[in-house]
């Protein structure tokens, strides 16, 4: 299973990004090993419109199973719901790694 966390940078030490569609990076963990397997540059982050659905499609194509983020806009929310990707708020986490640990501990609030 792949767990994706929105991030300002491309590593587990990076600060989580609050904006789902406009995040600069997605840091992806292999949930079985707990290892980061990929940092995806969000090519749609600066698009004028339609960002949320584009990002959802990209994550689906990458096989992402769970998203951890700050906020999700309406269109992205619908897309994540249709795709069956549960989405959680990273809460008080100050690094991507902390957000992943909180997800694993089951302490994050579900958004979608």
């Amino acid at each position: 299973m792949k767990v994706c966390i929105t991030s300002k940078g491309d590593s587990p030490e990076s600060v989580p990004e609050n904006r789902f569609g406009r995040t600069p990076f997605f840091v992806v963990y292999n949930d079985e090993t707990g290892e980061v397997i990929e940092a995806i540059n969000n090519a749609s982050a600066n698009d004028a419109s339609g960002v949320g659905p584009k990002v959802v499609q990209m994550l689906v194509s990458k096989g992402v199973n769970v998203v951890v983020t700050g906020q999700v806009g309406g269109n992205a929310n619908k897309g994540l719901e249709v795709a069956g990707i549960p989405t959680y708020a990273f809460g008080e986490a100050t690094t991507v790694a902390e957000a992943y640990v909180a997800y694993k501990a089951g302490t994050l609030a579900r958004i979608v």
Side-chain angles (χ1 to χ4, degrees):
M1 188 162 81
K2 293 181 179 180
V3 177
C4 171
I5 302 172
T6 57
S7 176
K8 294 182 185 282
D10 62 359
S11 76
E13 294 78 31
S14 299
V15 175
E17 170 59 54
N18 196 45
R19 302 166 302 162
F20 171 74
R22 302 287 179 184
T23 187
F25 292 94
F26 297 95
V27 176
V28 182
Y29 282 83
N30 176 326
D31 200 35
E32 293 176 18
T33 66
E35 300 291 323
V36 172
I37 55 172
E38 186 174 14
I40 304 168
N41 183 7
N42 183 5
S44 299
N46 296 316
D47 289 1
S49 64
V51 174
K54 289 177 192 174
V55 169
V56 171
Q57 288 175 345
M58 183 270 298
L59 294 179
V60 167
S61 74
K62 295 279 190 178
V64 167
N65 306 97
V66 174
V67 168
V68 178
T69 189
Q71 299 176 348
V72 180
N75 289 334
N77 191 330
K78 289 176 189 173
L80 290 163
E81 187 175 14
V82 168
I85 299 176
T87 305
Y88 298 86
F90 56 70
E92 302 296 318
T94 59
T95 67
V96 169
E98 285 180 12
Y100 179 71
V101 168
Y103 164 75
K104 290 296 286 181
T107 61
L108 301 182
R110 187 158 175 177
I111 299 172
V112 177

